[in-house]
Amino acid sequence: MRKVFQAELHQIGEGLIEISSLVIDAIEKSTTAFAAADLQAAQEVIAADARIDFLQNDLDERAIDVLALQGPVASDLRMIVGSLRMSASLERMGDLARHISQLTRLRYPNNVIPAPLVETFAEMARQDIIIARKVSELLDSRDLELASEIAAAKTEINKLHKTVFSAMGAPDWAETPATTVDVTLASRYFERFGDHGVSVARKVSYLVTGEWQPEEFLAG
Amino acid sequence: MRKVFQAELHQIGEGLIEISSLVIDAIEKSTTAFAAADLQAAQEVIAADARIDFLQNDLDERAIDVLALQGPVASDLRMIVGSLRMSASLERMGDLARHISQLTRLRYPNNVIPAPLVETFAEMARQDIIIARKVSELLDSRDLELASEIAAAKTEINKLHKTVFSAMGAPDWAETPATTVDVTLASRYFERFGDHGVSVARKVSYLVTGEWQPEEFLAG
């Protein structure tokens, strides 16, 4: 019984890692398509999001079955409840990659981002990809050094997000209102992606240490 | 033992209703402050959000204790897992009300929304308040008629959200880029608030019927 239970717990952990690897694919492809106005790649991200949603539901159902059949307590229980929360964050990261691709599709064949902000968004994309990869590694290794690195990447994203808003508020901003709307939404999607990554990192830290990181950790 | 368990389940349900009533206060006050550029009321919403966060954490800890001590199965287990998810949605609704108030504070003493869109935002606010009230009623009564009404209110919000974006894309839109940014963010906050309300409604429907409503329900 105990052996079966440990195998089930292990499977739930593997399920989270599997979803996180799809989230890496989604953010890498969606940000590349976003930068290159690549319609086909954007469509692929949009289509692939259903798989993340399916895997999340499947993982959650398995977690609930384990709760029902094994009645876990203490750290095992917290691991399963934590998995339900982390799967929700990962699913939301997939949604945000999809939203980025939907903007790409909406403005195709044009680029969403005007020339002066292209490099800022490229850097935000790099930080989001770093976060996605480190979240996946963290789920696997539980090495809390990675959690600090995720928080540091989020701090960078916060700065870049502010840069974008400052640019739109500056007197020399000469873009159309439609572009201003797109840039606002895009910056928010890139920024929220990072938030959910930090949220997963906080949950892993909690499972490892038994203590919640302060809110400042979430704020990066 | 069974009696204690039922009392604990009941308390978790009551906890959700308590949080939902604070969410009603938050969205009512934040949207009123938003429309009137009322700094003090906006500050109150921002300050009050910590209470929602505290109650969510407290409720989640109690739910985990019940899982550990009672090892519930079947519908009781699903109710507790559902509570963890619903508390997360309610907490997020509180965050969005706070974001609306943060915009009010940022632009004070000016209004965030320019004259041509004031009525559209007022209507979105009314629909969000309807959603918050019906979510609270639904948590109490489990009357699924309310879930349909919540979905209908979200359909209205989606239409209003599109109206806002059309207005910003129209040739006669003459607002500053800063206002365009604010309107984009505000419309998204009002719209996401409704999404989370629908999400709670779907979860209650699932608990009552044992079946997930189709995605169209979420889409309104």
PDB file of all heavy atoms in Angstrom, chain B residues 106-131:
ATOM      1  N   LEU B 106      -3.741  56.392  -8.512  1.00  0.00           N
ATOM      2  CA  LEU B 106      -2.679  56.852  -9.408  1.00  0.00           C
ATOM      3  C   LEU B 106      -3.077  58.133 -10.146  1.00  0.00           C
ATOM      4  O   LEU B 106      -2.241  59.022 -10.341  1.00  0.00           O
ATOM      5  CB  LEU B 106      -2.366  55.742 -10.426  1.00  0.00           C
ATOM      6  CG  LEU B 106      -1.234  55.981 -11.434  1.00  0.00           C
ATOM      7  CD1 LEU B 106       0.113  56.041 -10.709  1.00  0.00           C
ATOM      8  CD2 LEU B 106      -1.215  54.870 -12.494  1.00  0.00           C
ATOM      9  N   ARG B 107      -4.335  58.215 -10.548  1.00  0.00           N
ATOM     10  CA  ARG B 107      -4.767  59.349 -11.380  1.00  0.00           C
ATOM     11  C   ARG B 107      -5.459  60.455 -10.592  1.00  0.00           C
ATOM     12  O   ARG B 107      -5.796  61.497 -11.162  1.00  0.00           O
ATOM     13  CB  ARG B 107      -5.701  58.862 -12.501  1.00  0.00           C
ATOM     14  CG  ARG B 107      -5.020  57.935 -13.479  1.00  0.00           C
ATOM     15  CD  ARG B 107      -3.762  58.546 -14.082  1.00  0.00           C
ATOM     16  NE  ARG B 107      -3.002  57.533 -14.843  1.00  0.00           N
ATOM     17  CZ  ARG B 107      -1.725  57.653 -15.146  1.00  0.00           C
ATOM     18  NH1 ARG B 107      -1.024  58.712 -14.746  1.00  0.00           N
ATOM     19  NH2 ARG B 107      -1.127  56.713 -15.838  1.00  0.00           N
ATOM     20  N   TYR B 108      -5.707  60.229  -9.308  1.00  0.00           N
ATOM     21  CA  TYR B 108      -6.362  61.234  -8.476  1.00  0.00           C
ATOM     22  C   TYR B 108      -5.609  62.559  -8.569  1.00  0.00           C
ATOM     23  O   TYR B 108      -4.373  62.538  -8.554  1.00  0.00           O
ATOM     24  CB  TYR B 108      -6.392  60.762  -7.017  1.00  0.00           C
ATOM     25  CG  TYR B 108      -6.965  61.780  -6.065  1.00  0.00           C
ATOM     26  CD1 TYR B 108      -8.336  61.899  -5.919  1.00  0.00           C
ATOM     27  CD2 TYR B 108      -6.132  62.648  -5.350  1.00  0.00           C
ATOM     28  CE1 TYR B 108      -8.871  62.856  -5.076  1.00  0.00           C
ATOM     29  CE2 TYR B 108      -6.663  63.602  -4.505  1.00  0.00           C
ATOM     30  CZ  TYR B 108      -8.027  63.696  -4.372  1.00  0.00           C
ATOM     31  OH  TYR B 108      -8.568  64.642  -3.536  1.00  0.00           O
ATOM     32  N   PRO B 109      -6.228  63.733  -8.669  1.00  0.00           N
ATOM     33  CA  PRO B 109      -7.680  63.978  -8.569  1.00  0.00           C
ATOM     34  C   PRO B 109      -8.433  63.822  -9.886  1.00  0.00           C
ATOM     35  O   PRO B 109      -9.625  64.114  -9.931  1.00  0.00           O
ATOM     36  CB  PRO B 109      -7.730  65.434  -8.114  1.00  0.00           C
ATOM     37  CG  PRO B 109      -6.528  66.063  -8.737  1.00  0.00           C
ATOM     38  CD  PRO B 109      -5.476  64.992  -8.773  1.00  0.00           C
ATOM     39  N   ASN B 110      -7.740  63.376 -10.950  1.00  0.00           N
ATOM     40  CA  ASN B 110      -8.451  63.185 -12.219  1.00  0.00           C
ATOM     41  C   ASN B 110      -9.230  61.872 -12.213  1.00  0.00           C
ATOM     42  O   ASN B 110      -8.933  60.968 -11.436  1.00  0.00           O
ATOM     43  CB  ASN B 110      -7.445  63.160 -13.374  1.00  0.00           C
ATOM     44  CG  ASN B 110      -6.721  64.486 -13.498  1.00  0.00           C
ATOM     45  OD1 ASN B 110      -7.347  65.553 -13.458  1.00  0.00           O
ATOM     46  ND2 ASN B 110      -5.404  64.435 -13.613  1.00  0.00           N
ATOM     47  N   ASN B 111     -10.182  61.801 -13.131  1.00  0.00           N
ATOM     48  CA  ASN B 111     -10.842  60.529 -13.378  1.00  0.00           C
ATOM     49  C   ASN B 111      -9.966  59.666 -14.267  1.00  0.00           C
ATOM     50  O   ASN B 111      -9.261  60.181 -15.136  1.00  0.00           O
ATOM     51  CB  ASN B 111     -12.191  60.760 -14.059  1.00  0.00           C
ATOM     52  CG  ASN B 111     -13.282  61.088 -13.057  1.00  0.00           C
ATOM     53  OD1 ASN B 111     -13.653  60.243 -12.243  1.00  0.00           O
ATOM     54  ND2 ASN B 111     -13.767  62.313 -13.084  1.00  0.00           N
ATOM     55  N   VAL B 112     -10.017  58.351 -14.052  1.00  0.00           N
ATOM     56  CA  VAL B 112      -9.246  57.446 -14.895  1.00  0.00           C
ATOM     57  C   VAL B 112      -9.861  57.406 -16.299  1.00  0.00           C
ATOM     58  O   VAL B 112      -9.147  57.393 -17.299  1.00  0.00           O
ATOM     59  CB  VAL B 112      -9.226  56.021 -14.286  1.00  0.00           C
ATOM     60  CG1 VAL B 112      -8.527  55.039 -15.211  1.00  0.00           C
ATOM     61  CG2 VAL B 112      -8.561  56.045 -12.912  1.00  0.00           C
ATOM     62  N   ILE B 113     -11.185  57.395 -16.349  1.00  0.00           N
ATOM     63  CA  ILE B 113     -11.906  57.138 -17.604  1.00  0.00           C
ATOM     64  C   ILE B 113     -12.377  58.455 -18.239  1.00  0.00           C
ATOM     65  O   ILE B 113     -13.010  59.265 -17.558  1.00  0.00           O
ATOM     66  CB  ILE B 113     -13.122  56.225 -17.319  1.00  0.00           C
ATOM     67  CG1 ILE B 113     -12.653  54.903 -16.695  1.00  0.00           C
ATOM     68  CG2 ILE B 113     -13.939  55.970 -18.598  1.00  0.00           C
ATOM     69  CD1 ILE B 113     -11.662  54.122 -17.528  1.00  0.00           C
ATOM     70  N   PRO B 114     -12.083  58.655 -19.518  1.00  0.00           N
ATOM     71  CA  PRO B 114     -12.536  59.872 -20.196  1.00  0.00           C
ATOM     72  C   PRO B 114     -14.049  59.845 -20.430  1.00  0.00           C
ATOM     73  O   PRO B 114     -14.656  58.765 -20.490  1.00  0.00           O
ATOM     74  CB  PRO B 114     -11.769  59.838 -21.519  1.00  0.00           C
ATOM     75  CG  PRO B 114     -11.488  58.396 -21.770  1.00  0.00           C
ATOM     76  CD  PRO B 114     -11.328  57.762 -20.419  1.00  0.00           C
ATOM     77  N   ALA B 115     -14.627  61.041 -20.591  1.00  0.00           N
ATOM     78  CA  ALA B 115     -16.082  61.202 -20.660  1.00  0.00           C
ATOM     79  C   ALA B 115     -16.801  60.217 -21.592  1.00  0.00           C
ATOM     80  O   ALA B 115     -17.806  59.621 -21.177  1.00  0.00           O
ATOM     81  CB  ALA B 115     -16.418  62.646 -21.032  1.00  0.00           C
ATOM     82  N   PRO B 116     -16.286  59.983 -22.817  1.00  0.00           N
ATOM     83  CA  PRO B 116     -17.083  59.148 -23.731  1.00  0.00           C
ATOM     84  C   PRO B 116     -17.270  57.705 -23.253  1.00  0.00           C
ATOM     85  O   PRO B 116     -18.162  57.021 -23.735  1.00  0.00           O
ATOM     86  CB  PRO B 116     -16.280  59.173 -25.040  1.00  0.00           C
ATOM     87  CG  PRO B 116     -15.305  60.286 -24.910  1.00  0.00           C
ATOM     88  CD  PRO B 116     -15.067  60.506 -23.462  1.00  0.00           C
ATOM     89  N   LEU B 117     -16.424  57.247 -22.333  1.00  0.00           N
ATOM     90  CA  LEU B 117     -16.533  55.848 -21.888  1.00  0.00           C
ATOM     91  C   LEU B 117     -17.057  55.711 -20.458  1.00  0.00           C
ATOM     92  O   LEU B 117     -17.131  54.592 -19.933  1.00  0.00           O
ATOM     93  CB  LEU B 117     -15.171  55.144 -22.023  1.00  0.00           C
ATOM     94  CG  LEU B 117     -14.769  54.777 -23.451  1.00  0.00           C
ATOM     95  CD1 LEU B 117     -13.366  54.175 -23.478  1.00  0.00           C
ATOM     96  CD2 LEU B 117     -15.765  53.785 -24.079  1.00  0.00           C
ATOM     97  N   VAL B 118     -17.402  56.820 -19.841  1.00  0.00           N
ATOM     98  CA  VAL B 118     -17.850  56.765 -18.442  1.00  0.00           C
ATOM     99  C   VAL B 118     -19.050  55.839 -18.283  1.00  0.00           C
ATOM    100  O   VAL B 118     -19.085  54.980 -17.382  1.00  0.00           O
ATOM    101  CB  VAL B 118     -18.169  58.187 -17.913  1.00  0.00           C
ATOM    102  CG1 VAL B 118     -19.046  58.133 -16.671  1.00  0.00           C
ATOM    103  CG2 VAL B 118     -16.860  58.927 -17.606  1.00  0.00           C
ATOM    104  N   GLU B 119     -20.023  55.963 -19.185  1.00  0.00           N
ATOM    105  CA  GLU B 119     -21.237  55.151 -19.034  1.00  0.00           C
ATOM    106  C   GLU B 119     -20.951  53.662 -19.282  1.00  0.00           C
ATOM    107  O   GLU B 119     -21.507  52.791 -18.601  1.00  0.00           O
ATOM    108  CB  GLU B 119     -22.340  55.676 -19.953  1.00  0.00           C
ATOM    109  CG  GLU B 119     -23.691  54.991 -19.780  1.00  0.00           C
ATOM    110  CD  GLU B 119     -24.093  54.728 -18.326  1.00  0.00           C
ATOM    111  OE1 GLU B 119     -23.975  55.623 -17.446  1.00  0.00           O
ATOM    112  OE2 GLU B 119     -24.501  53.584 -18.037  1.00  0.00           O
ATOM    113  N   THR B 120     -20.039  53.378 -20.230  1.00  0.00           N
ATOM    114  CA  THR B 120     -19.684  51.974 -20.509  1.00  0.00           C
ATOM    115  C   THR B 120     -19.051  51.325 -19.271  1.00  0.00           C
ATOM    116  O   THR B 120     -19.401  50.197 -18.899  1.00  0.00           O
ATOM    117  CB  THR B 120     -18.692  51.901 -21.695  1.00  0.00           C
ATOM    118  OG1 THR B 120     -19.236  52.631 -22.790  1.00  0.00           O
ATOM    119  CG2 THR B 120     -18.443  50.471 -22.118  1.00  0.00           C
ATOM    120  N   PHE B 121     -18.155  52.068 -18.619  1.00  0.00           N
ATOM    121  CA  PHE B 121     -17.526  51.528 -17.402  1.00  0.00           C
ATOM    122  C   PHE B 121     -18.520  51.426 -16.246  1.00  0.00           C
ATOM    123  O   PHE B 121     -18.448  50.497 -15.442  1.00  0.00           O
ATOM    124  CB  PHE B 121     -16.287  52.346 -17.022  1.00  0.00           C
ATOM    125  CG  PHE B 121     -15.038  51.862 -17.706  1.00  0.00           C
ATOM    126  CD1 PHE B 121     -14.688  52.359 -18.958  1.00  0.00           C
ATOM    127  CD2 PHE B 121     -14.251  50.871 -17.144  1.00  0.00           C
ATOM    128  CE1 PHE B 121     -13.556  51.893 -19.617  1.00  0.00           C
ATOM    129  CE2 PHE B 121     -13.117  50.400 -17.803  1.00  0.00           C
ATOM    130  CZ  PHE B 121     -12.766  50.912 -19.040  1.00  0.00           C
ATOM    131  N   ALA B 122     -19.438  52.373 -16.185  1.00  0.00           N
ATOM    132  CA  ALA B 122     -20.464  52.295 -15.129  1.00  0.00           C
ATOM    133  C   ALA B 122     -21.285  51.021 -15.297  1.00  0.00           C
ATOM    134  O   ALA B 122     -21.619  50.343 -14.317  1.00  0.00           O
ATOM    135  CB  ALA B 122     -21.358  53.536 -15.172  1.00  0.00           C
ATOM    136  N   GLU B 123     -21.579  50.673 -16.549  1.00  0.00           N
ATOM    137  CA  GLU B 123     -22.363  49.465 -16.791  1.00  0.00           C
ATOM    138  C   GLU B 123     -21.539  48.207 -16.491  1.00  0.00           C
ATOM    139  O   GLU B 123     -22.052  47.243 -15.914  1.00  0.00           O
ATOM    140  CB  GLU B 123     -22.879  49.459 -18.239  1.00  0.00           C
ATOM    141  CG  GLU B 123     -23.804  48.298 -18.574  1.00  0.00           C
ATOM    142  CD  GLU B 123     -25.030  48.193 -17.668  1.00  0.00           C
ATOM    143  OE1 GLU B 123     -25.510  49.227 -17.166  1.00  0.00           O
ATOM    144  OE2 GLU B 123     -25.484  47.044 -17.430  1.00  0.00           O
ATOM    145  N   MET B 124     -20.249  48.245 -16.849  1.00  0.00           N
ATOM    146  CA  MET B 124     -19.395  47.105 -16.486  1.00  0.00           C
ATOM    147  C   MET B 124     -19.344  46.939 -14.970  1.00  0.00           C
ATOM    148  O   MET B 124     -19.379  45.817 -14.460  1.00  0.00           O
ATOM    149  CB  MET B 124     -17.973  47.284 -17.027  1.00  0.00           C
ATOM    150  CG  MET B 124     -17.781  46.655 -18.385  1.00  0.00           C
ATOM    151  SD  MET B 124     -16.042  46.246 -18.756  1.00  0.00           S
ATOM    152  CE  MET B 124     -15.481  47.847 -19.267  1.00  0.00           C
ATOM    153  N   ALA B 125     -19.262  48.062 -14.266  1.00  0.00           N
ATOM    154  CA  ALA B 125     -19.232  48.011 -12.794  1.00  0.00           C
ATOM    155  C   ALA B 125     -20.514  47.380 -12.262  1.00  0.00           C
ATOM    156  O   ALA B 125     -20.470  46.532 -11.356  1.00  0.00           O
ATOM    157  CB  ALA B 125     -19.046  49.420 -12.228  1.00  0.00           C
ATOM    158  N   ARG B 126     -21.660  47.795 -12.838  1.00  0.00           N
ATOM    159  CA  ARG B 126     -22.940  47.226 -12.378  1.00  0.00           C
ATOM    160  C   ARG B 126     -22.943  45.714 -12.580  1.00  0.00           C
ATOM    161  O   ARG B 126     -23.392  44.966 -11.703  1.00  0.00           O
ATOM    162  CB  ARG B 126     -24.104  47.861 -13.141  1.00  0.00           C
ATOM    163  CG  ARG B 126     -24.573  49.197 -12.557  1.00  0.00           C
ATOM    164  CD  ARG B 126     -25.916  49.659 -13.147  1.00  0.00           C
ATOM    165  NE  ARG B 126     -25.791  50.163 -14.503  1.00  0.00           N
ATOM    166  CZ  ARG B 126     -25.456  51.421 -14.829  1.00  0.00           C
ATOM    167  NH1 ARG B 126     -25.200  52.316 -13.886  1.00  0.00           N
ATOM    168  NH2 ARG B 126     -25.372  51.788 -16.092  1.00  0.00           N
ATOM    169  N   GLN B 127     -22.442  45.264 -13.726  1.00  0.00           N
ATOM    170  CA  GLN B 127     -22.443  43.818 -13.998  1.00  0.00           C
ATOM    171  C   GLN B 127     -21.479  43.080 -13.065  1.00  0.00           C
ATOM    172  O   GLN B 127     -21.766  41.968 -12.616  1.00  0.00           O
ATOM    173  CB  GLN B 127     -22.075  43.550 -15.467  1.00  0.00           C
ATOM    174  CG  GLN B 127     -23.069  44.123 -16.483  1.00  0.00           C
ATOM    175  CD  GLN B 127     -24.466  43.523 -16.373  1.00  0.00           C
ATOM    176  OE1 GLN B 127     -24.634  42.382 -15.947  1.00  0.00           O
ATOM    177  NE2 GLN B 127     -25.483  44.309 -16.714  1.00  0.00           N
ATOM    178  N   ASP B 128     -20.340  43.695 -12.763  1.00  0.00           N
ATOM    179  CA  ASP B 128     -19.405  43.063 -11.818  1.00  0.00           C
ATOM    180  C   ASP B 128     -20.027  42.957 -10.415  1.00  0.00           C
ATOM    181  O   ASP B 128     -19.824  41.957  -9.717  1.00  0.00           O
ATOM    182  CB  ASP B 128     -18.089  43.852 -11.748  1.00  0.00           C
ATOM    183  CG  ASP B 128     -17.072  43.398 -12.807  1.00  0.00           C
ATOM    184  OD1 ASP B 128     -17.219  42.282 -13.330  1.00  0.00           O
ATOM    185  OD2 ASP B 128     -16.142  44.169 -13.092  1.00  0.00           O
ATOM    186  N   ILE B 129     -20.739  43.993 -10.033  1.00  0.00           N
ATOM    187  CA  ILE B 129     -21.393  43.960  -8.710  1.00  0.00           C
ATOM    188  C   ILE B 129     -22.474  42.880  -8.694  1.00  0.00           C
ATOM    189  O   ILE B 129     -22.593  42.113  -7.722  1.00  0.00           O
ATOM    190  CB  ILE B 129     -21.964  45.354  -8.349  1.00  0.00           C
ATOM    191  CG1 ILE B 129     -20.807  46.343  -8.114  1.00  0.00           C
ATOM    192  CG2 ILE B 129     -22.868  45.274  -7.123  1.00  0.00           C
ATOM    193  CD1 ILE B 129     -21.234  47.808  -8.057  1.00  0.00           C
ATOM    194  N   ILE B 130     -23.225  42.785  -9.779  1.00  0.00           N
ATOM    195  CA  ILE B 130     -24.235  41.712  -9.886  1.00  0.00           C
ATOM    196  C   ILE B 130     -23.552  40.354  -9.736  1.00  0.00           C
ATOM    197  O   ILE B 130     -24.017  39.482  -8.987  1.00  0.00           O
ATOM    198  CB  ILE B 130     -24.976  41.801 -11.251  1.00  0.00           C
ATOM    199  CG1 ILE B 130     -25.947  42.990 -11.245  1.00  0.00           C
ATOM    200  CG2 ILE B 130     -25.711  40.496 -11.570  1.00  0.00           C
ATOM    201  CD1 ILE B 130     -26.569  43.298 -12.608  1.00  0.00           C
ATOM    202  N   ILE B 131     -22.435  40.186 -10.424  1.00  0.00           N
ATOM    203  CA  ILE B 131     -21.724  38.906 -10.354  1.00  0.00           C
ATOM    204  C   ILE B 131     -21.264  38.617  -8.921  1.00  0.00           C
ATOM    205  O   ILE B 131     -21.470  37.520  -8.403  1.00  0.00           O
ATOM    206  CB  ILE B 131     -20.531  38.894 -11.345  1.00  0.00           C
ATOM    207  CG1 ILE B 131     -21.064  38.751 -12.777  1.00  0.00           C
ATOM    208  CG2 ILE B 131     -19.547  37.768 -11.019  1.00  0.00           C
ATOM    209  CD1 ILE B 131     -20.013  38.822 -13.872  1.00  0.00           C
TER     210      ILE B 131
END
